[in-house]
């Protein structure tokens, strides 16, 4: 059994080097392989990766984005690995402790069938939690972090069950990702791609868990680095967190039949009247 760490990268070589250093230090009772998808970086990433004997590299043409990069890696693993293997999804702008992967693996095995995610902390203020886990409000099309729920904060010594998992440090059984159909990069090229695949894994009967003791350190602005220059770009640029096609596909996937029936009405309504999305206190 092997844990395959999948890391999509585009430039930002120092961040990639930092994460690789963290992964190389992992103390783990199973083999850990590093699989990096380099989507045509231009900052020396390709040259550095070529000199690393312990990293397997897949190359993209610059149009993969996160979803396409992970999908390329999963297709590669489907024919070049074993069914009992695991997949660790990581972003290169993160740092983790030496026991990070082992914590996720032990928890996933103990609570099988399950996928296990981590908690995100501020890298500049390591005691400050940025993201604990996510619950979904399908009627208002909202994702709500458990940081805002007092009950969840009282359970930080226990494992939390969530509706979706972030791709910034999450362990999946490889067989679960394959059974779920892998990624869907044509409709979810970047934002929400991690949430979407975790929902499809959950529908197969896997629990989605967050382990509070598995900590990922990252910058506070994760997931929001892209700023649209126009309203059209905000809704239809692949780089935008508000990319409308991805949101429509994701909320369709996570919704029940009645919510799906009303989705075409609620999406334009919420765009025109965003205050309607605010949950009642």
């Amino acid at each position: 059994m092997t844990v395959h760490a999948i890391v999509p990268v585009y430039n930002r070589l120092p961040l990639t080097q930092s994460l690789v250093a963290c992964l190389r230090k992992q103390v783990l009772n199973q083999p850990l392989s590093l699989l990096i998808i380099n989507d045509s970086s231009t900052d020396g990433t390709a040259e550095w990766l070529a000199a690393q004997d312990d990293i397997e590299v897949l190359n993209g043409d610059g149009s993969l984005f996160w979803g396409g990069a992970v999908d390329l890696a999963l297709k590669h693993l489907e024919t070049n690995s074993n069914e009992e293997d695991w997949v660790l999804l990581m972003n290169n702008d993160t740092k983790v402790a030496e026991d990070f992967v082992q914590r996720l693996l032990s928890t996933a095995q103990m609570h099988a069938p399950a996928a296990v995610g981590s908690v995100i902390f501020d890298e500049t203020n390591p005691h400050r939690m940025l993201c604990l886990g996510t619950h979904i409000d399908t009627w208002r099309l909202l994702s709500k972090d458990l940081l805002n729920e007092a009950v969840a904060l009282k359970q930080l010594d226990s494992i939390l069950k969530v509706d979706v998992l972030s791709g910034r440090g999450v362990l999946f059984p490889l067989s679960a990702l394959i059974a779920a159909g892998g990624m869907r990069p044509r409709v979810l090229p970047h934002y929400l791609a991690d949430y979407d695949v975790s929902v499809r894994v959950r529908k197969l009967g896997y629990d989605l868990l967050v382990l509070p003791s598995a900590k990922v350190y990252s910058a506070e602005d994760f997931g929001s680095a892209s700023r649209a220059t126009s309203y059209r770009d905000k809704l239809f640029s692949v780089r935008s967190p508000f990319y409308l096609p991805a949101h429509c596909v994701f909320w369709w996937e996570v919704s029940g039949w009645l919510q799906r029936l009303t989705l075409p009405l609620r999406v334009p309504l919420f765009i025109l009247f965003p205050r309607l999305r605010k949950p009642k206190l």
Side-chain angles (χ1 to χ4, degrees):
M1 182 183 71
T2 300
V3 177
H4 303 275
I6 294 178
V7 186
V9 303
Y10 176 72
N11 292 332
R12 307 194 299 180
L13 176 56
L15 295 179
T16 300
Q17 292 171 323
S18 176
L19 175 61
V20 167
C22 288
L23 294 175
R24 283 172 171 165
K25 294 177 181 178
Q26 292 300 302
V27 179
L28 187 62
N29 63 10
Q30 300 294 334
L32 177 66
S33 72
L34 306 184
L35 177 56
I36 291 183
I37 306 89
N38 176 27
D39 198 19
S40 295
S41 298
T42 59
D43 65 344
T45 292
E47 292 77 10
W48 182 80
L49 289 173
Q52 310 306 307
D53 296 332
D54 61 338
I55 299 178
E56 186 174 10
V57 180
L58 300 177
N59 293 301
D61 61 2
S63 64
L64 290 179
F65 293 95
W66 191 89
V70 173
D71 192 59
L72 180 64
L74 292 179
K75 289 178 178 177
H76 173 76
L77 291 178
E78 188 171 1
T79 57
N80 294 277
S81 58
N82 299 315
E83 287 187 2
E84 65 270 19
D85 287 354
W86 296 79
V87 167
L88 172 69
L89 299 180
M90 296 291 300
N91 282 10
N92 68 341
D93 57 348
T94 58
K95 299 176 182 178
V96 294
E98 296 178 2
D99 61 349
F100 174 76
V101 180
Q102 184 62 63
R103 285 179 181 270
L104 294 180
L105 181 60
S106 297
T107 302
Q109 291 174 326
M110 184 180 303
H111 295 273
V116 184
S118 50
V119 177
I120 302 176
F121 284 79
D122 187 351
E123 64 180 3
T124 61
N125 182 5
H127 299 291
R128 180 174 175 238
M129 192 183 301
L130 299 177
C131 179
L132 176 58
T134 305
H135 281 172
I136 296 297
D137 182 340
T138 49
W139 282 110
R140 293 183 176 85
L141 310 182
L142 289 174
S143 57
K144 301 181 292 185
D145 196 284
L146 294 179
L147 274 175
N148 300 319
E149 298 186 16
V151 174
L153 290 176
K154 294 178 181 178
Q155 300 175 343
L156 291 182
D157 292 332
S158 58
I159 297 169
L160 303 173
K161 184 175 288 190
V162 295
D163 295 331
V164 295
L165 287 170
S166 166
R168 305 175 66 82
V170 57
L171 188 72
F172 287 96
L174 173 60
S175 57
L177 293 173
I178 293 174
M183 310 303 292
R184 300 194 286 181
R186 290 187 178 181
V187 290
L188 291 138
H190 198 64
Y191 291 102
L192 294 176
D194 50 355
Y195 280 14
D196 174 72
V197 74
S198 67
V199 167
R200 287 182 282 120
V201 166
R202 176 165 58 86
K203 288 183 177 182
L204 294 174
Y206 291 78
D207 285 332
L208 303 184
L209 308 175
V210 166
L211 181 64
S213 63
K215 301 177 181 180
V216 168
Y217 298 92
S218 180
E220 183 176 4
D221 64 351
F222 69 92
S224 59
S226 178
R227 297 286 188 263
T229 57
S230 68
Y231 193 70
R232 178 181 176 83
D233 284 344
K234 179 179 180 179
L235 295 181
F236 295 104
S237 171
V238 173
R239 299 177 183 276
S240 170
F242 306 99
Y243 181 53
L244 184 58
H247 278 267
C248 290
V249 170
F250 170 74
W251 288 109
W252 180 271
E253 182 67 48
V254 79
S255 295
W257 71 268
L258 182 57
Q259 294 155 338
R260 287 182 175 184
L261 187 65
T262 60
L263 185 61
L265 298 175
R266 286 182 290 126
V267 169
L269 188 65
F270 290 149
I271 291 175
L272 293 173
F273 305 101
R275 290 186 179 181
L276 294 177
R277 296 182 68 200
K278 292 183 178 181
K280 295 180 180 180
L281 298 178

